[in-house]
Each structure stands twice: as C-alpha cells, then as structure tokens.
Amino acid sequence: MPRIKQESGRVRSIATPDSIPDIQSETPSEQVQRLRPIRSAAPSIDTRVRTSTASGLPGVVEDEDDDLMMMEVRHNPKAEHDLILGSQSVQGSFVGANRALRGIGQKLKDINDALGELQARGIQHVASLPELVLVGDQSSGKSSLMSAIAGLSLPRSTGTCTRCPIHIRVSRADEWSCRVFLKQDYEFCPPNHPLTERDVTAANKFPPWIKLDPSRQARREFKTVRDQLDSEEIETVLRCAQVAILNPSTHYQFFIPKSRGEVPESTRQQHLEQVKKKEERAEAQFSPNTVALEVKGPDLADLNFYDLPGVFMTARRAEDSFLERVVQNLTREYISRQSAIILCAVPMNQDSENSFALKIIKAQRAQNRCIGIMTKADLLPSEDGAASRWLAMLNGEAHQTGLGYFITSRQGSDLEEQNKMEEAFFNRTADATGEWPEAFDDFKEKCGVEKLKAFLSRKLGEEFAKILPEVKQKVETRLYDIDNQLKKYPDPPPNPELEIHKSLAEFTIGVKNRVTNQDFVSAWDARFGEPFKRFIIGLKPKFNVKDNAKASMPICIDLENDSPSSSPTARKRSAPAMDPTESSATPKRQRAQQANGIVKTEPQDNPFALTPNHVRSGTPSTPSRGGRSKSLMDIRSLIRRAAIPGQPGLISATVYEPLYTEAAKTWAPHLDWFINSTFAFLQAEILSILDAAFTHLKNRAVYKESLEHMRGFIESQKAELRTQLLFIYKLESQRLCTKDEETLKRHQASEMKILVRHRNHFRIAAFNGEELRAVPKMEDMTDEERKQEEAKMSKELRNLGPDPFEPELAVAAYIRGYYLTAANRFVDYVSIHVMSGLLPRVASVIENSYLHERLGLTDRAATHEVLQRLMSEGPEIEQKRRDLRAEKETLDGAMDIIVNLERREREQAAAAAAGASPSQYGSGFDHASQADSLLEVGHPNAVAGDRGTIYSATAFGDA
C-alpha cells in the first residue's frame, strides 16, 4: 500500500517505484520528487523523533496491515507547492531536516521561536546567543554533517574541503532564499619570505592574515540564490565565495557566478573554469575570513552555526606545515567562545585516540559544552572488537563529553539520497549499504541526523533559558543608550525658520544680559582684574639697602671705597642684607641652611612661573618678583656715569628712566596672561549661552556655523583689545611722564619712609655688631609700638651721623613712587578697556544682528536656500540617526519577543496551577512526564539525567 500524506483534509499520493516518470523527460523539480525516499517496511531502528498521537500532535500511525501512513495535521494550511519547496530541506518519509523538530510541544516551540527570532534580528552585538560550532579533523565528515543540518549542498571534495569558516544562519520566512556574504575581518599581508611555523605566534595566530581595525572590517554581499531546488547552483555559489576569500588580491565580484539563463551557457562554463584555476592556484590555502550564509524559508529550523576547516596534523606539502598551527589556532578561537555549543565530528572508520579536535577541546576545557558526533558509521570496521571502543564512548567510559554522543551515516551524493540511505542503514532494511551491529541497539535514540537536530533544539533552548535574564538586561541597557544618543540627533523641526530665529533671539538676549551683568563683571574682576593688579604692583623695583652699613660708623669713612676703613676695635660682624619690601623672614629664607651644612639656593624669580595658563586654574597666591633687586652701590654707579662735569651734587634725569623702564618691561607676560584669560572666560560664557539657545539644533549646520562665527568674532575682539593694550603698555614702558604731581609726591614720600626705616635698622644693627632680627611691618604694629621704635631709632641715629647714601635712597624712593603712579594708571587703563570697552561692545555687536548677517538671514530673497543650508546635518549625522533608529527597531522587536515569551510562560504556569488542560494553549505537552522526557539533560554523556524545564529559546518548525 502506498504511503499517504494528508494535509488540511487533502489526500495526496506520494510517488512509489511504479509511478516514477521517464527520467530523461523529467524536470529538476520532478527529479527531486522522484528521489524522495520511500519508507521501508522493516524499521528495526526509527531515526525519527517520535511523538505521541494522543494529543493530536503529528505522529506515525500503523494500520492493521502494518503498512505505514504518515499523517500531518497542519493548523495553518499552505498551498500545495509548499511541499515541493520544502523538498530540498530534507523532507520525505524521514520527516525531513526542516520538520524533524516538530511535535515536541508548544513550550519548546515557544522557546525556539524566541531564540530564532532574536538570532534573525541580529542582536549578537548586544548579547551573545547560543550558537553551534562544528569542528573535527580533516576528512571527518563535517561538511556532509553540516549539509544535513542546514539542508544545503555545501562544497565537497577530497582532502581539505572547508578552507575558511562558514557561518550559516537558518531562519523561517515566507519565501526561500540563500544570501551569501563575504565577511572580511582580516587583511592578507604575505611576508617577503616563505612562511614557516615560526611565523605563527600568540600575537599573529593566522599568518599571512592580520586582524583589521573594526572600522575597516567589511561585510559584502556576494550572491543570492532563490531556487531551493537548484542544489547545483547553491554548491557553485558557495564554492566560488570560498575561492574569492582565498584570493584577496582579485576583486570579489570576479568570482560571482552567473545563473543559468543570465548569460550563454558557454560563457558561464568558461567563467567557472577560470574560477577553478583560481581555486587550484589560490593565493592562500586557508583564511580566517568568513563566508556567511543567511538561509530563510518556510518551516526552516532556526539555527546559527559555524563550520570550521578540518584540523590536521600533517600538511600535504612541506611548505604548508605552518598551516597545521594556523587551523588549530582557528579552532581554538571558536571553541573558546563561552556561548558556543561544540559539535565534534569523530569518524568511526578511524581510531578516536587520534582525533586532534578532541584533544583541542580537552585542552580548552570545553568538554562540558561539547556534543560528540560519530560520523561514517557505515564505514565501521567489521573485525571483532571494532565496536567496543565506540560503545565505551557512548557509555561514558572514554572520551567523555558533557552532552554525549550521536551517530550518523551520510552516504550518497545529495541530501535526499543521504537521508534515504541513513534511514535504511540504521533500520537494517534490505536496501541498506553496510551492516549496523546489533550491539548499538541500546543507543537507537542516538542514531540519525534527525535525533541530533531534536537534541540540538532542546539544548539550544536550555542554554538560552540560562542567559535570558542577562540578554533582557543587556537589550534594555542598549535601548537606554540609544534613546540618549537619539536625543542628540532629533528630527528636523516643523518650522525651521521659526526655530532658528527663536534660538538666535534667545542667544542675543542671553549674551546681552550676561556680559553686562554686574555679577559677570564682578566675577571677571575677582578672577582676573584683581590678580592682574597684584601682579603689576608686585613688580615694583626692589633695592637692597644694606650696602656699606658699617661705613656710617663715626670713624673714618671713605666714600670712594665700597669698604669702610675701621679700626680693629670697631670691627664687628655686619648684619645680613634685606630687601625693604620683603617680609621679616626674608634674611632667613635667603640663607636657609640644611642639616648637612649646605646652603640652599633660592630659585630665580620668574614672572612666567606664577602665571596661570588656564582660565580656571585659579589665582596665584603671590605675584612674580620681577627682575633682580638693585643695590645702593648700583644706583651710585649710575649717578656717577650720568654726572655732568662741573655740576657737582646734581643727579641727571637719565638716571631714573632706565631704573623704571627695566621694571615696566616685566609687565608683558602678565598682560598677555590677562588678555588670554579674559577672553577664555568670555568665550566660555558666550558659547555656553549659544549651546543652551541651540539645544534642539545642535546637530544642524546652523549651530556649527554659529559656533564658528562666534569663535571668529571673539578672536577679532581679542586682537582689537590686544592692540589697544599693547599700545598703552608701550607708552608706559618707554619713559617717565605724569601730570599727577600730587600722587607722585605721595607715593615718593611713602616709599622714602619705607626705605629709610629699613636702612636705619641695618645701620643700627651694624653699628652695634648685632645680627639684624626681623623688621616688623608698619601695618602690623600698634601705635605704641611705632612710637617706641621711633624713639629708639632717634636715639641710636644720633651716634651714627648722616647716611652717606641719602642721594641713592632718594633716587630709589622716586623710582618706586613713580612706578606705583604709572602702574596704577596702567591697571586702570587696562580694566576700563575691558569693562567700558570690550564688554559693552560685544553685547552691542551681537545685539545688532551679528549672527543674522553672518548666517545670511537678512537677505529675504535667499531665505529658502539659506534655510536648507542651515538645517542640513551632513551625511554622517543622517546615517548615524538611521543606524540608531534601525538598531532601536531591532532591539524593540527583541524586547517584544522576550516579553511575549515571558507572558506565555506566566499564562501557562497559571493554567497549570489552576488545573487547566494543556489543549487550551495549543498543541502543548500531554502531561508533565512527557514534557520532562523531551527535556532530559545533564548527564555527562546524555544517556540519562536530571529532567529540567526550559522556558525560553528558538522554534524549529510549526507544531
């Protein structure tokens, strides 16, 4: 009796041997239908995933005559041609690669649906999702196994087949398609010498390939195949894509094959011959770059896996020996991914002890994430004891893997033939090729690709369940970051002209109110005006008044000699020198002695050392001292050089000017600091107001242009102010000139009093042979203390007589008095240029439509073009917004998937608690024991183990 497949109430006859059409006249589609396997009548081992039919789930039903009839009840019937489209995805009496995971319960379906949809949305850059990595030794049957899992005809050849990682993502869609991409993460950089094993290092794992910077990595679409039935085209495209990866110096588009009908067949074959030559003489034997496949179609299993080049111990050519370590490094890198479930292919026609892939997995301590796949079961040696090694592995006695072992036998030239022959082999039917030992009957649930797929579905769901809370948290965090970034790139306003004018008005009013506000002026004065004044006043000329203090003793004084001529009885130790404007601790500071007896040298005064370089660096505690102090003898020398013969007692005017101008020229660095700091402060305030006024337009050209115009405006004002102040500085530093005689005399008298007081302290101390102690500051003394000092000093001075340096002291007092007069005048001019010149001018210019003119908004005729220019963002920002929105849409969808999954879990849990029937929630598990039996995990070799309930992962087929 022929098998009958019932779908949505329609009964369709499946081809039997008697109904096969003429092979020569059949179409490719008819050939696929013909080659669909026919179920044997003697199933000693069923390689399908069996499910109960009591709940109405799909199942296998035997009639009274033991003839098999496969029934499939579809809740969402599709057109009849869907059956044909699904044939390439390993369909038929063997249930099929894309339907093998059906009927295992609504709960697992929800889990797999969620994981599959998340994988399809591409959120791996946010959270790592479980994925499969297939590894194995060379010629271990990996490619055949991967073809069966993916439902695709991958390239197969003798020796090395896969020569770069192949990344396959399988997901469901309304229409079938296979998009092929080339993922370039590495650059081909061959050295100038033949590669050897020495070139393979920890820092350079894949020579001659060098890791590219992320900004240079690329993903290029190669070709899309839309005919699922054309297995030859699929295999051709994949082979050509791999050859393109291995020949990076040739543009990848050269390798894109033409489909039948696009060009004449002779042209197509000629191109394929050229590609074949490139394959035979490939620039690289292996590549870490990836050929990526996105396979979509109805009822496809949602899987995400990598097929890696096979590991080998010995290269075919001696010059390729370095490739042994390169491929091993590639395998280690993928195995080390903690989210990866590793499928390790171990062929049964070879000794498992020689599996280098298993050794790498053990070295990486990844056995707990590993599933062993015993491939090529049909090639198991027939001699006695050949099966014992493999049975020991199945029983967990050797080469233990955390997820156990499965057994496959992939014979035949295409997927349909492989499925048919695998089923016949494990069922021991009459048409089976090879004999399957009865010793393996205890492991019939481990035989066949379909059983492996069902297990992978359950395992992926389990792993996804573990990380679901973490995935949800990472998605939420990324969505929060995207929302914050999108705030920086808002949509264009509905009325751009109004928004621009509102921002300009807000900016204009803000600047005017700020720079003319008393708080702003006071803040500027406190931070820059007053410190500048202290700097300039602090540069007052310094004079050392201790010179020849002993010469004033009432003994023979030689005014022509710097040293006094004193008798031995009058020889006393002189007091140390002191600057009259220094603090009382100055002598000790100048002669500070360390514990080792070495005199500590004071650093030279540097007017730049105390100059703050940044507007916010604060005010220095003390001003710069300026130049070196002059002694009274220095002044005497100047007087002598400038004296006019025949005019004794007169001091030339030329003596005063150099002493003053030398001090005034030290203002330059402080003036420069003042100008820079003032404008840094002003610019910070203005740009802050600009930022606030253009908050919603900061990604537009109007903000960028306004920013540049304001910076240019501030620089022009800075240049103008600098010119004005430098002119004043030049006038002040060239010569002595004042009409303010009263102020000059007041400062001169005050400075003379200070100089004479300090001078007298030195003279008295020198006369008495005492070391001068601290001279207290006048402002720190009480009235009584001042009277006592004056009385004591008057008494002591009677014994000293006139000071021989009175003319020099008079010169010093005049210089200091004039300096204070000019310095205060200069500080006033500088300050008034800022407060009464710069700040009002800035406010006025900006208020009078400065930015309107610069932006071109005063010309009504050009308003439309101007607005277009001002509201433009530039391609980078527009692309950034599109990317963020696309990512947000992806992650919003991901969050919906996760939330819906959690909702269904809660509903099912509530229904179970209320005693609701599982049928209320679709085709769920019949009862708890059945559900648990589908989710058995945990045993090291997956023979038996603890039962666990999975609550989230990917869907493989409709239930």
Side-chain angles (χ1 to χ4, degrees):
M1 176 179 178
R3 294 176 292 112
I4 300 296
K5 185 168 184 177
Q6 179 173 325
E7 179 175 356
S8 303
R10 300 180 61 183
V11 179
R12 179 178 177 184
S13 175
I14 306 299
T16 63
D18 297 333
S19 61
I20 298 177
D22 184 8
I23 296 178
Q24 295 181 352
S25 61
E26 64 181 355
T27 65
S29 299
E30 292 172 341
Q31 182 183 14
V32 171
Q33 295 293 324
R34 176 177 60 80
L35 293 177
R36 286 183 175 175
I38 301 174
R39 176 69 178 156
S40 170
S44 60
I45 296 178
D46 188 358
T47 60
R48 293 171 291 175
V49 179
R50 301 192 61 83
T51 58
S52 172
T53 59
S55 62
L57 297 176
V60 179
V61 182
E62 298 183 14
D63 62 14
E64 295 179 357
D65 298 327
D66 290 334
D67 289 332
L68 294 181
M69 178 174 66
M70 185 170 69
M71 307 290 294
E72 179 179 89
V73 179
R74 298 179 60 87
H75 299 287
N76 297 311
K78 298 183 180 180
E80 183 174 309
H81 70 275
D82 285 348
L83 293 173
I84 301 176
L85 288 176
S87 63
Q88 182 64 23
S89 298
V90 201
Q91 292 183 350
S93 64
F94 201 17
V95 178
N98 301 319
R99 300 186 181 182
L101 304 178
R102 293 187 175 198
I104 58 178
Q106 184 67 35
K107 191 163 192 164
L108 184 58
K109 178 184 181 301
D110 290 342
I111 293 168
N112 290 338
D113 276 340
L115 179 58
E117 290 174 13
L118 291 177
Q119 287 173 330
R121 285 185 173 274
I123 67 167
Q124 285 80 355
H125 66 289
V126 176
S128 296
L129 298 175
E131 60 187 7
L132 303 176
V133 175
L134 178 59
V135 301
D137 292 357
Q138 191 174 7
S139 301
S140 62
K142 286 189 311 82
S143 294
S144 297
L145 180 61
M146 189 58 68
S147 296
I149 296 175
L152 284 175
S153 295
L154 299 179
R156 304 175 64 196
S157 63
T158 57
T160 301
C161 179
T162 306
R163 297 165 69 179
C164 67
I166 298 179
H167 182 201
I168 304 177
R169 285 182 55 200
V170 182
S171 60
R172 288 177 296 174
D174 293 337
E175 296 182 359
W176 190 93
S177 66
C178 177
R179 299 177 67 188
V180 182
F181 298 85
L182 306 182
K183 184 70 170 64
Q184 184 181 4
D185 297 325
Y186 295 82
E187 184 179 11
F188 187 65
C189 299
N192 296 326
H193 60 274
L195 286 168
T196 66
E197 293 184 11
R198 295 179 181 177
D199 295 299
V200 187
T201 63
N204 187 20
K205 296 180 181 179
F206 314 119
W209 301 92
I210 305 298
K211 186 77 172 181
L212 285 169
D213 183 85
S215 62
R216 296 180 58 201
Q217 295 176 3
R219 184 174 185 262
R220 300 181 176 91
E221 185 163 1
F222 189 71
K223 189 177 179 64
T224 299
V225 181
R226 300 194 181 278
D227 187 357
Q228 183 182 10
L229 303 179
D230 194 346
S231 58
E232 180 183 348
E233 182 182 10
I234 296 172
E235 184 171 351
T236 298
V237 171
L238 297 184
R239 183 183 297 277
C240 291
Q242 183 172 249
V243 177
I245 287 285
L246 299 175
N247 292 274
S249 64
T250 304
H251 198 279
Y252 75 96
Q253 292 182 344
F254 168 81
F255 299 95
I256 300 177
K258 298 295 183 181
S259 301
R260 289 189 178 90
E262 290 186 61
V263 295
E265 185 62 20
S266 58
T267 303
R268 178 174 174 273
Q269 291 298 329
Q270 184 179 2
H271 175 256
L272 292 179
E273 285 294 327
Q274 294 175 344
V275 173
K276 185 177 181 181
K277 292 180 181 179
K278 288 280 188 179
E279 182 180 18
E280 294 171 351
R281 302 183 180 90
E283 298 174 49
Q285 297 300 313
F286 283 88
S287 174
N289 288 325
T290 309
V291 174
L293 283 72
E294 289 186 0
V295 186
K296 298 181 180 180
D299 302 328
L300 283 181
D302 292 295
L303 289 173
N304 183 25
F305 51 86
Y306 290 86
D307 182 21
L308 302 183
V311 181
F312 57 92
M313 292 291 294
T314 305
R316 287 182 295 177
R317 301 187 307 173
E319 59 267 28
D320 294 337
S321 59
F322 74 96
L323 292 174
E324 301 166 13
R325 295 180 59 186
V326 169
V327 177
Q328 293 167 19
N329 286 340
L330 188 67
T331 302
R332 290 188 185 96
E333 180 162 306
Y334 278 83
I335 288 175
S336 64
R337 298 180 181 180
Q338 294 303 310
S339 61
I341 298 174
I342 305 160
L343 281 67
C344 182
V346 185
M348 298 185 75
N349 63 334
Q350 299 178 18
D351 190 348
S352 59
E353 300 294 333
N354 297 328
S355 174
F356 200 72
L358 277 176
K359 293 180 181 179
I360 293 177
I361 292 171
K362 292 178 182 178
Q364 297 291 112
R365 298 183 179 180
Q367 300 100 310
N368 62 316
R369 295 185 283 112
C370 179
I371 304 173
I373 314 295
M374 298 178 181
T375 61
K376 303 184 180 182
D378 52 294
L379 299 180
L380 177 68
S382 59
E383 65 266 15
D384 294 339
S388 60
R389 296 191 302 270
W390 304 101
L391 290 170
M393 294 167 64
L394 289 166
N395 285 314
E397 298 170 358
H399 299 300
Q400 292 185 358
T401 60
L403 303 178
Y405 283 87
F406 284 81
I407 310 171
T408 64
S409 172
R410 307 301 296 172
Q411 309 174 61
S413 59
D414 56 45
L415 293 174
E416 295 296 340
E417 185 179 3
Q418 290 169 13
N419 291 336
K420 178 181 177 180
M421 295 183 70
E422 182 178 58
E423 183 176 8
F425 176 75
F426 287 125
N427 286 334
R428 302 192 188 93
T429 60
D431 55 347
T433 302
E435 297 184 2
W436 182 234
E438 295 181 358
F440 290 91
D441 284 356
D442 290 341
F443 302 98
K444 60 183 179 181
E445 294 302 320
K446 301 291 184 178
C447 295
V449 170
E450 305 305 323
K451 299 292 179 62
L452 171 63
K453 292 179 181 179
F455 177 81
L456 292 178
S457 173
R458 295 194 296 270
K459 187 58 186 175
L460 284 171
E462 175 194 333
E463 294 301 315
F464 181 53
K466 293 178 182 178
I467 66 170
L468 180 60
E470 179 184 355
V471 172
K472 183 178 180 181
Q473 180 183 7
K474 288 182 177 180
V475 172
E476 288 177 335
T477 301
R478 179 56 185 161
L479 280 172
Y480 178 78
D481 294 339
I482 291 174
D483 288 337
N484 287 336
Q485 291 187 53
L486 283 174
K487 291 178 182 178
K488 302 176 183 178
Y489 308 104
D491 290 327
N495 190 336
E497 183 176 9
L498 176 62
E499 292 297 325
I500 290 175
H501 283 286
K502 282 172 58 179
S503 296
L504 288 173
E506 182 181 342
F507 170 68
T508 300
I509 296 172
V511 171
K512 179 182 178 182
N513 292 340
R514 181 58 178 155
V515 300
T516 59
N517 185 274
Q518 184 59 44
D519 291 339
F520 176 80
V521 177
S522 298
W524 165 83
D525 187 54
R527 298 176 62 178
F528 312 111
E530 283 299 318
F532 178 68
K533 178 180 178 180
R534 289 198 300 271
F535 292 156
I536 300 302
I537 300 301
L539 294 173
K540 180 174 62 174
K542 313 302 189 291
F543 296 99
N544 191 322
V545 297
K546 94 175 179 68
D547 296 74
N548 287 337
K550 291 183 179 180
S552 60
M553 295 173 60
I555 52 180
C556 181
I557 298 176
D558 184 3
L559 294 178
E560 299 299 322
N561 195 330
D562 291 343
S563 302
S565 176
S566 56
S567 63
T569 58
R571 191 183 301 270
K572 296 181 181 179
R573 187 172 52 156
S574 62
M578 180 177 182
D579 190 321
T581 59
E582 294 287 343
S583 67
S584 58
T586 301
K588 294 182 180 179
R589 184 170 67 249
Q590 290 177 339
R591 197 170 176 79
Q593 190 169 9
Q594 298 179 347
N596 60 6
I598 300 176
V599 176
K600 180 180 178 182
T601 304
E602 288 291 325
Q604 292 291 328
D605 295 326
N606 185 353
F608 294 94
L610 296 175
T611 301
N613 294 322
H614 192 272
V615 64
R616 303 197 182 277
S617 63
T619 303
S621 57
T622 57
S624 170
R625 295 184 187 178
R628 183 178 64 86
S629 62
K630 295 286 191 297
S631 69
L632 296 179
M633 287 303 300
D634 292 334
I635 298 176
R636 177 170 290 182
S637 298
L638 287 174
I639 294 173
R640 287 176 177 175
R641 287 198 298 270
I644 300 175
Q647 297 179 0
L650 294 179
I651 299 177
S652 173
T654 58
V655 172
Y656 299 91
E657 194 166 276
L659 293 173
Y660 163 73
T661 56
E662 182 181 356
K665 287 179 180 178
T666 62
W667 297 350
H670 298 283
L671 179 62
D672 189 61
W673 167 82
F674 172 82
I675 295 172
N676 291 335
S677 300
T678 294
F679 275 92
F681 181 66
L682 178 63
Q683 176 171 290
E685 293 292 333
I686 292 178
L687 297 188
S688 175
I689 297 170
L690 185 72
D691 284 351
F694 285 82
T695 298
H696 301 294
L697 299 174
K698 293 185 74 171
N699 61 320
R700 306 288 169 178
V702 63
Y703 171 74
K704 299 181 179 65
E705 290 187 24
S706 299
L707 192 64
E708 292 304 315
H709 287 314
M710 289 316 304
R711 285 176 173 161
F713 170 73
I714 293 170
E715 284 299 319
S716 67
Q717 295 298 314
K718 182 178 180 179
E720 183 178 348
L721 181 67
R722 186 186 298 276
T723 300
Q724 295 170 350
L725 298 185
L726 287 177
F727 178 71
I728 297 172
Y729 163 73
K730 184 177 180 181
L731 295 178
E732 292 287 359
S733 61
Q734 274 189 338
R735 59 176 300 169
L736 288 75
C737 181
T738 182
K739 293 294 185 180
D740 190 359
E741 186 176 354
E742 180 181 353
T743 301
L744 174 59
K745 287 183 177 180
R746 185 176 70 254
H747 286 311
Q748 182 180 0
S750 176
E751 293 301 314
M752 188 65 178
K753 185 176 180 181
I754 295 172
L755 291 169
V756 169
R757 176 173 175 262
H758 282 76
R759 172 66 178 171
N760 288 337
H761 273 286
F762 277 107
R763 294 179 66 206
I764 293 170
F767 179 79
N768 295 328
E770 299 172 352
E771 183 176 351
L772 180 65
R773 296 184 179 276
V775 177
K777 294 182 179 180
M778 292 292 291
E779 58 268 24
D780 295 336
M781 299 172 66
T782 64
D783 292 340
E784 184 62 28
E785 289 173 338
R786 291 194 191 99
K787 291 179 181 179
Q788 292 177 1
E789 182 187 88
E790 290 174 1
K792 179 181 179 182
M793 193 171 289
S794 177
K795 180 180 178 181
E796 295 283 353
L797 289 175
R798 293 192 192 102
N799 300 322
L800 298 180
D803 190 340
F805 284 95
E806 286 182 1
E808 288 79 7
L809 289 172
V811 171
Y814 183 89
I815 293 300
R816 287 162 68 97
Y818 180 82
Y819 180 92
L820 291 176
T821 303
N824 281 289
R825 180 175 62 196
F826 178 66
V827 169
D828 283 346
Y829 277 133
V830 168
S831 300
I832 202 168
H833 269 75
V834 173
M835 291 189 292
S836 299
L838 172 67
L839 299 182
R841 184 170 63 252
V842 166
S844 175
V845 172
I846 292 178
E847 184 181 18
N848 290 326
S849 303
Y850 175 82
L851 276 182
H852 290 75
E853 295 177 0
R854 294 298 184 275
L855 296 173
L857 291 171
T858 56
D859 185 3
R860 281 291 178 185
T863 297
H864 179 70
E865 292 76 11
V866 169
L867 288 177
Q868 280 189 325
R869 187 193 85 243
L870 296 179
M871 294 305 294
S872 66
E873 298 176 284
E876 294 182 0
I877 293 180
E878 292 175 358
Q879 184 63 46
K880 181 68 173 178
R881 185 193 292 108
R882 286 195 296 268
D883 292 344
L884 288 172
R885 285 179 175 169
E887 185 179 1
K888 177 177 171 58
E889 182 180 357
T890 296
L891 296 181
D892 281 336
M895 281 300 301
D896 290 341
I897 293 168
I898 296 172
V899 170
N900 289 335
L901 177 62
E902 293 174 337
R903 176 184 54 78
R904 289 194 297 270
E905 291 294 332
R906 289 194 299 269
E907 291 175 353
Q908 292 177 11
S917 172
S919 61
Q920 291 178 268
Y921 298 94
S923 53
F925 295 116
D926 292 333
H927 44 72
S929 61
Q930 182 186 0
D932 288 342
S933 67
L934 290 169
L935 300 175
E936 286 184 358
V937 294
H939 188 272
N941 289 283
V943 177
D946 298 333
R947 297 184 176 100
T949 301
I950 304 171
Y951 66 88
S952 59
T954 309
F956 300 91
D958 296 330

